[in-house]
């Protein structure tokens, strides 16, 4: 009986500990909606002076973010940006290697946005969107 209760508690704790991707910004940036964030990450929001920061290819959080926000897979993103770069119509967002670096950059650049696991959010950044 004790083992059943212990197993149930462990399962409940693991579900509660699971976080998901959130879009973060420097605390001075106002909240943005999904459509605007999608345009920013696809280089289609030229009139906004927002600097998107991306995780490197292969990061599971990058896949989760793009599946939820831009609707593109990593392969589709690579093809999309290859075409934009080749035609001179844009360049992809700056990439960083970890969520810690992402959070540090976003917190130090007034117009930057990025995405991290919700469990990594602290007072240095502001959550502006939960996909």
């Amino acid at each position: 009986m004790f083992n059943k209760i212990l197993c149930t508690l462990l399962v409940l704790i693991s579900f509660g500990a699971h976080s998901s991707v959130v879009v973060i910004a420097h605390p001075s940036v106002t909240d943005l909606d999904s459509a605007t964030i999608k345009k920013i990450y696809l280089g289609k929001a030229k009139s906004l002076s927002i600097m998107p920061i991306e995780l490197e290819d292969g990061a599971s959080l990058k896949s989760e973010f793009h599946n939820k926000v831009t609707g593109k897979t990593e392969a589709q993103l690579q093809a999309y940006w290859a075409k934009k770069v080749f035609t001179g119509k844009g360049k992809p967002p700056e990439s960083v290697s970890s969520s810690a670096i992402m959070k540090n950059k976003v917190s130090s650049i007034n117009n930057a946005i990025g995405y991290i696991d919700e469990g990594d959010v602290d007072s240095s950044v502001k959550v502006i969107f939960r996909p």
Side-chain angles (χ1 to χ4, degrees):
M1 180 69 175
F2 178 73
N3 286 340
K4 269 187 169 179
I5 293 171
L6 184 60
C7 287
T8 303
L9 286 174
L10 289 173
V11 168
L12 291 174
I13 289 169
S14 68
F15 281 123
H18 179 339
S19 297
S20 61
V21 67
V22 293
V23 180
I24 59 167
H26 184 275
S28 66
V29 174
T30 59
D31 292 358
L32 300 170
D33 64 20
S34 178
T36 303
I37 293 169
K38 178 179 179 176
K39 287 177 185 175
I40 290 168
Y41 272 91
L42 294 177
K44 296 179 177 181
K46 306 254 189 256
S47 63
L48 296 176
S49 61
I50 302 289
M51 177 183 156
I53 301 173
E54 187 84 87
L55 286 174
E56 290 181 342
D57 289 348
S60 62
L61 203 57
K62 179 178 182 173
S63 295
E64 181 183 348
F65 170 77
H66 282 287
N67 284 333
K68 290 180 175 180
V69 176
T70 66
K72 294 190 180 293
T73 65
E74 195 166 309
Q76 290 171 325
L77 280 170
Q78 290 171 348
Y80 174 85
W81 284 112
K83 181 179 177 182
K84 294 277 255 184
V85 169
F86 181 75
T87 59
K89 294 184 178 178
K91 65 178 192 164
E94 175 185 350
S95 292
V96 296
S97 60
S98 72
S99 291
I101 295 171
M102 170 90 70
K103 185 169 60 172
N104 187 41
K105 277 191 105 62
V106 168
S107 70
S108 64
I109 301 172
N110 285 344
N111 64 338
I113 65 170
Y115 50 87
I116 60 174
D117 189 279
E118 189 170 20
D120 294 330
V121 173
D122 63 25
S123 62
S124 67
V125 293
K126 173 183 170 183
V127 174
I128 60 167
F129 183 72
R130 286 180 169 83

